[in-house]
Amino acid sequence: MSDDGHEDTGRGSVPSRRRRRFPGISSRAYEHPADRSALVALRKLSGFDTVFKALSGLLPERSLRLLFLSDSVRVSDQQFAHLNDMLRDACYILDLEKVPPMYVAQDPQPNAMCIGLDEPIIVVTTGLVELLDEEEMRAVVGHEVGHALSGHSVYRTILLFLTSLAVRVAWIPLGNLAIMAIVTGLREWFRKSELSADRAGLLVGQDVQASMRGLMKIAGGNHLHEMNVDAFLQQAEEYESAGDLRDSVLKILNVLPRSHPFTTVRAAELKKWAQSRDFQRIMDGHYARRTEDKDTSVSDSFRESAAHYANHVKTSKDPLMKLVSDLAGGAGDLGGRVRRGFSGFTSPPPPGDRASKDAPPKDAPPKDTPPGEDD
């Protein structure tokens, strides 16, 4: 029986242990500010749904559905019944009325995705199923249901299509550059959407340690006896604060081609949200409802997103972010700060140049030398 007194019908439609349910919850309740502002703006665009449905004939969605139907195992009461129970649980907790189809695909690489324009479908790989325990897997299923509730599957499908298209039009002058610019922007948004879905997974599983373990296993494999959550989170702290401006640039270059944030970063972000007032308010039953989505202000959402990024820059330990924050605060000596940050890329000035630069004018009076110091 769930916390609201709903009895089990024998169809696996309620959580297998006592978990809080969130009737009518809007995805805005758990979305990352950057993800939420983009989605609110897109939902407000007149004819947005019509345009993307018109595009469905150009996208490989039908082909993907047929591919998974013909060459994967569809989750049901008869096949992967434990995953089917988790899926129903997740939809029940997040109050998603229509349970999306889920497939298990043979692939040793641990992965999961939610795609589709008209109706989302969830795909998990055998590598992921074999890697995670029940509570860790429950968080992953909740993650994918969170994608479905937010409508991320639409944009993920478009991202897959555009990435494929970029390869096909690479021979067209400037054509590939234009599409890759769009793909880069979509990837930046999608990385933030992954942080949103991680939060949805936590709301479904309601076990932050299981969520942490799942991310740790995705990074390091099924060797829990050799790993430690606190040490794993310390890696994220070191990644965020260590190095100089060169490392900051390399971080940007490393993350640009990725559709997901780095695993340690995801774990640290989720841990921070789990300890926040926002998470506690949701658990207490105070959250945004879907009935209020139509009244959401685009400008307010963008202001929240801007405030989040401003606070991130202000509090970040990353050398580049600290430089930006200092400059915004009126700190001077930009040239010196940059030279020191990139000191490893440049050679020191020749001794002659330094001597000529630092030497006093010929007619300057002799410098007094304090006792005990050399010139």
Side-chain angles (χ1 to χ4, degrees):
M1 180 178 291
S2 72
D3 62 338
D4 63 354
H6 192 99
E7 294 186 359
D8 195 341
T9 62
R11 294 175 56 83
S13 59
V14 297
S16 59
R17 70 168 173 82
R18 190 179 182 88
R19 290 183 175 87
R20 184 171 296 279
R21 185 175 180 244
F22 308 102
I25 189 172
S26 169
S27 60
R28 292 182 293 112
Y30 59 79
E31 284 163 354
H32 184 279
D35 176 28
R36 182 168 61 244
S37 62
L39 290 174
V40 168
L42 287 172
R43 290 164 185 156
K44 290 286 184 178
L45 287 178
S46 178
F48 173 77
D49 291 339
T50 303
V51 170
F52 278 101
K53 285 181 180 179
L55 283 174
S56 63
L58 302 175
L59 301 177
E61 180 182 6
R62 296 178 68 87
S63 175
L64 287 173
R65 288 180 182 277
L66 290 172
L67 177 63
F68 291 124
L69 184 63
S70 63
D71 206 32
S72 302
V73 176
R74 183 163 58 191
V75 171
S76 66
D77 289 333
Q78 292 78 38
Q79 301 186 116
F80 289 100
H82 72 292
L83 293 181
N84 193 49
D85 288 344
M86 290 182 195
L87 178 61
R88 289 175 177 270
D89 288 355
C91 293
Y92 175 77
I93 291 171
L94 294 181
D95 199 16
L96 187 64
E97 183 176 354
K98 188 170 184 179
V99 179
M102 184 160 74
Y103 294 89
V104 176
Q106 171 61 32
D107 186 344
Q109 183 72 25
N111 198 12
M113 61 180 174
C114 180
I115 58 173
L117 286 174
D118 292 324
E119 295 182 4
I121 59 174
I122 295 172
V123 181
V124 296
T125 65
T126 52
L128 189 67
V129 174
E130 293 163 4
L131 177 66
L132 304 182
D133 67 25
E134 181 177 349
E135 292 304 308
E136 295 157 5
M137 193 68 198
R138 188 181 298 277
V140 169
V141 173
H143 174 110
E144 299 305 325
V145 170
H147 275 314
L149 182 58
S150 287
H152 292 153
S153 59
V154 173
Y155 317 114
R156 175 63 181 263
T157 305
I158 295 169
L159 177 59
L160 291 173
F161 170 71
L162 288 176
T163 304
S164 174
L165 183 62
V167 175
R168 297 178 187 177
V169 301
W171 59 275
I172 302 176
L174 301 181
N176 186 50
L177 291 177
I179 292 177
M180 286 310 298
I182 299 173
V183 168
T184 300
L186 278 173
R187 280 177 177 158
E188 168 59 19
W189 161 77
F190 200 79
R191 286 190 289 271
K192 297 301 184 291
S193 77
E194 287 299 314
L195 300 180
S196 299
D198 284 343
R199 297 175 178 184
L202 179 57
L203 291 177
V204 167
Q206 299 174 26
D207 183 345
V208 67
Q209 289 302 314
S211 294
M212 293 293 107
R213 292 197 311 268
L215 290 169
M216 193 165 60
K217 282 184 175 181
I218 290 172
N222 192 15
H223 304 281
L224 275 180
H225 63 289
E226 297 284 354
M227 297 185 286
N228 178 275
V229 171
D230 292 333
F232 186 66
L233 291 171
Q234 182 59 39
Q235 290 181 225
E237 175 74 15
E238 183 178 341
Y239 173 80
E240 174 72 13
S241 59
D244 53 24
L245 292 179
R246 292 170 296 170
D247 297 289
S248 297
V249 173
L250 291 173
K251 291 176 190 176
I252 295 172
L253 295 177
N254 284 341
V255 81
L256 277 178
R258 295 176 59 93
S259 62
H260 288 58
F262 292 114
T263 318
T264 57
V265 174
R266 289 174 63 184
E269 286 283 338
L270 186 59
K271 181 79 170 183
K272 186 188 306 179
W273 188 71
Q275 296 172 341
S276 71
R277 178 60 181 159
D278 290 340
F279 174 72
Q280 190 56 54
R281 282 181 58 81
I282 295 174
M283 295 303 295
D284 291 340
H286 305 293
Y287 50 81
R289 260 68 175 183
R290 281 169 233 167
T291 54
E292 305 163 351
D293 284 350
K294 62 181 184 301
D295 301 321
T296 306
S297 167
V298 176
S299 58
D300 287 347
S301 298
F302 275 110
R303 275 194 293 269
E304 290 176 12
S305 179
H308 168 81
Y309 276 113
N311 183 66
H312 173 71
V313 170
K314 184 177 180 180
T315 59
S316 176
K317 298 179 181 179
D318 180 82
L320 180 58
M321 293 297 101
K322 289 174 69 176
L323 175 61
V324 171
S325 179
D326 289 347
L327 293 177
D333 190 23
L334 172 60
R337 294 286 299 276
V338 173
R339 281 195 298 273
R340 288 193 293 274
F342 287 97
S343 58
F345 285 152
T346 58
S347 301
D353 290 351
R354 178 176 293 176
S356 62
K357 179 179 179 181
D358 297 337
K362 291 182 180 180
D363 56 352
K367 180 175 67 173
D368 293 334
T369 303
E373 288 189 14
D374 295 329
D375 288 338

